[in-house]
Amino acid sequence: MKTVKKIDIYLLKNFLGLFVATFFICIFILLMQFVWIHVKDLVGKGVEVSVLAEFFVYAVASVVPLALPLAILLASLISFGNLGEKFELTAMKAAGISLFRIMRPLTIAIAFVCVGAFFFSNNVLPKSQMKLWALIFSLRQKSPELEIPVGEFYDGIKGYNIYVRHKDPKTGMLKDLMIYDYSNGFQNATVMVADSGRLAFSEDKKYLVLRLYNGESFENLSQQQQRATKTQKNVPYRRETFAQKQMLIDFDAEFNRYDESVLQDQHVSKNFVQLVQSIDSVQVLAHEKSREQSQNLVSNRYFGRERKEGRQLIAPEVAEQRQYDVDSLFAHMTPMQQRNVMSVAVEKATAQRDQVEYNALLLDDNQRYIRKHEIELYRKFTLAFACLIFFFIGAPLGAIIRKGGLGVPVIISVIMFIIYYIIDNTGYKMAREALWPCWAGMWLSSFILLPIGIFLTYKAATDAALLNPEAWLKVWERGVVQAKRLARKLRRKRPSKSPLKGDLVK
């Protein structure tokens, strides 16, 4: 019993050390990918280091759902691969310890990890997602850091293009400036040239103060041309010569935080209880709206019916026409009357179709809202279950391959994770577009990978040669032989054709 406990401690030490290392490696790789996607929101904004640190903390929390299953797969592959390569796994089996007994302490540890993954996705991830996207929106609204280059046009200021030929680095004086001001539209653009100028922020850092010296400005007056007579062909403009001119440009250089309360109703910022409550409330609203729309169509727009004082009455012209045959009435009409009747019918049918399509759009908004919340609800469970599945794929696969290190396990982990990601993303898109039920789309990867994990665990427990080509060739030959035997039996049981009447039977 003491020997078994020592083995459990030994296995846990090896696995947990590898798991922590691979987890941080996966976090780093996925974090770099996430930062690369949002690099344009970070570069050139001049934000403080504390804001960048906050961004990276929230980004780390957002990539945990992908890094955790990958780390478990890689750690289990390396751990059991090392045991098989050093013949420690063989020695344990020779001592009468089965593979399931060897995997038991690690299975218990992974079960705790799965529970922790669920609580993380239910409590920590919604808050971090809300803060992360609020921070990303704030960074997107932040004006870029003002740094006007020399010898090229600078368009970092909205509505302006500034060209500077020379710049004095000591005094900050700009020389030989050309400014295109199209803040009032391209049709009313203003072009300014100046010998020198100076650019500075206002005291509240919400405006840019541009002082120009010894220059000219040319303003296009197309708005006055629109108010002039139509016979005027030339576009008027205004030319101004100045010794000194000052301009005030809107340019908010402060970092303004996005209001997080706007994102509280989003599906990514809700826990399990909030998601269930939102789904139930919106389903009730959608059902009530659908019932009202159907009653409105039947009572007001179905075969000329009208609603009056809470009662449904049939229009008098419809009641009068019911005494006659509609086809015979239409046949006795003149061609002009027939065309008028057909046009009126087409117009009513078109109006009815437009009303139905509009009602469908109104209901589709609620259905899309419900689907997003259901997808997020199932995702909290699929993350925890994926960790368990990847352990039962990695551990037996490492015991079968018996290769440790970072070579073969990394390649197999990447391949398996790509397969998982493709399947999971496919199910997510199917659920999002309402092609499949949400539960089927989100559990698709688990439904496919769980049998693979069970099969690999069975093969590893029975010491089957999974990657031996001779064994698979024998299985193929055995299958071909069985197929031939079945074909012969079917031919024997097939009844013989009886001779036709009139044929001569010798």
Side-chain angles (χ1 to χ4, degrees):
M1 190 68 179
K2 294 182 180 180
T3 305
V4 175
K5 289 184 178 180
K6 289 182 179 180
I7 290 176
D8 293 342
I9 296 173
Y10 175 73
L11 292 173
L12 286 172
K13 284 183 178 180
N14 288 339
F15 177 79
L16 292 179
L18 289 171
F19 171 67
V20 173
T22 54
F23 179 70
F24 282 107
I25 292 173
C26 296
I27 285 287
F28 177 77
I29 295 173
L30 295 174
L31 180 62
M32 292 300 101
Q33 180 190 12
F34 185 83
V35 171
W36 179 256
I37 294 174
H38 298 280
V39 65
K40 63 180 180 181
D41 300 325
L42 301 173
V43 176
K45 295 301 181 69
V47 294
E48 298 179 356
V49 179
S50 60
V51 176
L52 294 178
E54 186 180 357
F55 173 82
F56 280 103
V57 169
Y58 297 147
V60 167
S62 66
V63 299
V64 166
L66 286 178
L68 194 59
L70 180 59
I72 291 175
L73 176 62
L74 186 57
S76 58
L77 265 170
I78 297 175
S79 178
F80 279 82
N82 289 333
L83 292 176
E85 190 176 16
K86 297 176 182 178
F87 298 101
E88 294 176 342
L89 195 61
T90 304
M92 293 178 189
K93 291 183 178 180
I97 304 175
S98 64
L99 180 64
F100 295 104
R101 179 61 186 84
I102 297 171
M103 292 174 59
R104 188 175 72 178
L106 301 182
T107 305
I108 296 174
I110 295 299
F112 282 105
V113 173
C114 294
V115 175
F118 173 77
F119 281 100
F120 176 85
S121 62
N122 187 54
N123 300 323
V124 179
L125 192 60
K127 297 180 180 178
S128 64
Q129 286 284 336
M130 182 175 63
K131 293 182 178 295
L132 174 63
W133 285 107
L135 186 60
I136 290 176
F137 293 150
S138 303
L139 290 171
R140 288 176 181 176
Q141 294 175 356
K142 171 73 169 63
S143 300
E145 190 176 11
L146 187 62
E147 184 63 31
I148 299 178
V150 176
E152 59 183 80
F153 280 96
Y154 176 73
D155 58 353
I157 304 174
K158 186 178 180 181
Y160 293 87
N161 269 341
I162 302 177
Y163 179 84
V164 177
R165 192 179 298 274
H166 301 287
K167 182 192 296 185
D168 191 344
K170 295 181 180 180
T171 62
M173 184 66 73
L174 309 175
K175 299 181 180 180
D176 294 337
L177 288 87
M178 181 180 294
I179 301 172
Y180 288 89
D181 179 6
Y182 51 90
S183 57
N184 295 324
F186 288 98
Q187 300 297 329
N188 302 294
T190 302
V191 181
M192 288 172 284
V193 292
D195 294 339
S196 59
R198 189 183 298 275
L199 192 62
F201 282 103
S202 61
E203 295 182 358
D204 57 358
K205 292 186 178 182
K206 292 186 178 181
Y207 299 95
L208 282 175
V209 181
L210 178 61
R211 294 183 177 89
L212 302 177
Y213 305 98
N214 301 326
E216 292 181 329
S217 65
F218 303 88
E219 183 179 357
N220 189 359
L221 302 177
S222 61
Q223 292 181 351
Q224 295 185 8
Q225 183 195 17
Q226 294 176 0
R227 292 192 293 266
T229 59
K230 297 181 179 179
T231 58
Q232 185 178 354
K233 296 182 180 179
N234 298 327
V235 179
Y237 70 94
R238 180 170 57 199
R239 178 179 178 180
E240 178 187 359
T241 303
F242 56 86
Q244 181 178 350
K245 186 175 182 177
Q246 180 172 313
M247 298 175 57
L248 200 62
I249 303 173
D250 289 336
F251 191 86
D252 192 357
E254 294 292 334
F255 179 68
N256 300 316
R257 290 276 184 171
Y258 193 83
D259 190 7
E260 296 180 2
S261 61
V262 180
L263 301 175
Q264 288 182 354
D265 194 42
Q266 298 296 321
H267 57 281
V268 295
S269 61
K270 296 180 181 180
N271 56 24
F272 177 80
V273 177
Q274 293 171 343
L275 288 171
V276 172
Q277 291 176 352
S278 299
I279 292 171
D280 293 340
S281 60
V282 176
Q283 281 180 345
V284 171
L285 291 176
H287 179 71
E288 183 66 23
K289 186 178 293 184
S290 176
R291 187 177 62 84
E292 291 178 358
Q293 291 176 357
S294 61
Q295 289 180 354
N296 183 35
L297 287 175
V298 173
S299 61
N300 296 339
R301 297 178 177 273
Y302 188 69
F303 288 135
R305 292 181 181 176
E306 296 179 353
R307 176 176 288 274
K308 184 179 297 184
E309 296 180 358
R311 295 178 299 170
Q312 295 181 359
L313 301 176
I314 300 176
E317 59 271 16
V318 176
E320 184 179 354
Q321 290 179 2
R322 285 187 175 181
Q323 301 175 3
Y324 306 96
D325 188 4
V326 177
D327 294 334
S328 62
L329 286 174
F330 184 78
H332 285 82
M333 291 181 181
T334 62
M336 181 62 70
Q337 291 176 339
Q338 291 180 354
R339 284 193 296 269
N340 293 335
V341 169
M342 293 298 294
S343 62
V344 171
V346 170
E347 290 177 0
K348 289 185 177 181
T350 304
Q352 185 75 354
R353 183 196 61 188
D354 295 340
Q355 182 66 31
V356 172
E357 291 178 354
Y358 177 73
N359 293 341
L361 289 175
L362 294 179
L363 292 176
D364 187 63
D365 293 338
N366 292 332
Q367 295 299 328
R368 191 181 298 108
Y369 182 91
I370 294 172
R371 286 198 301 271
K372 288 181 179 180
H373 283 68
E374 287 183 347
I375 288 172
E376 192 65 27
L377 180 66
Y378 290 118
R379 196 194 299 275
K380 297 183 184 302
F381 295 95
T382 56
L383 168 63
F385 197 65
C387 297
L388 189 63
I389 291 177
F390 273 112
F391 173 73
F392 281 100
I393 290 178
L397 200 57
I400 293 172
I401 297 174
R402 298 180 181 181
K403 292 290 183 181
L406 293 174
V408 177
V410 170
I411 296 175
I412 296 176
S413 298
V414 170
I415 294 174
M416 292 299 300
F417 188 76
I418 290 175
I419 294 173
Y420 163 76
Y421 184 78
I422 292 174
I423 297 173
D424 186 68
N425 201 30
T426 302
Y428 164 73
K429 290 183 178 179
M430 291 293 184
R432 184 188 62 186
E433 301 299 329
L435 299 176
W436 289 355
C438 292
W439 65 268
M442 297 308 297
W443 286 98
L444 177 64
S445 57
S446 301
F447 292 155
I448 295 177
L449 295 180
L450 181 60
I452 296 177
I454 295 174
F455 173 75
L456 292 176
T457 305
Y458 170 75
K459 287 293 184 180
T462 56
D463 293 328
L466 180 64
L467 302 179
N468 188 2
E470 295 181 358
W472 289 104
L473 185 61
K474 291 181 180 178
V475 173
W476 171 261
E477 292 177 352
R478 191 180 302 114
V480 171
V481 171
Q482 293 293 335
K484 289 181 178 179
R485 291 179 179 176
L486 182 61
R488 285 197 297 267
K489 289 181 180 179
L490 291 176
R491 283 197 297 268
R492 291 174 183 174
K493 293 181 178 180
R494 186 179 300 170
S496 59
K497 294 183 179 180
S498 58
L500 299 175
K501 293 183 179 180
D503 291 345
L504 297 176
V505 180
K506 294 183 180 180

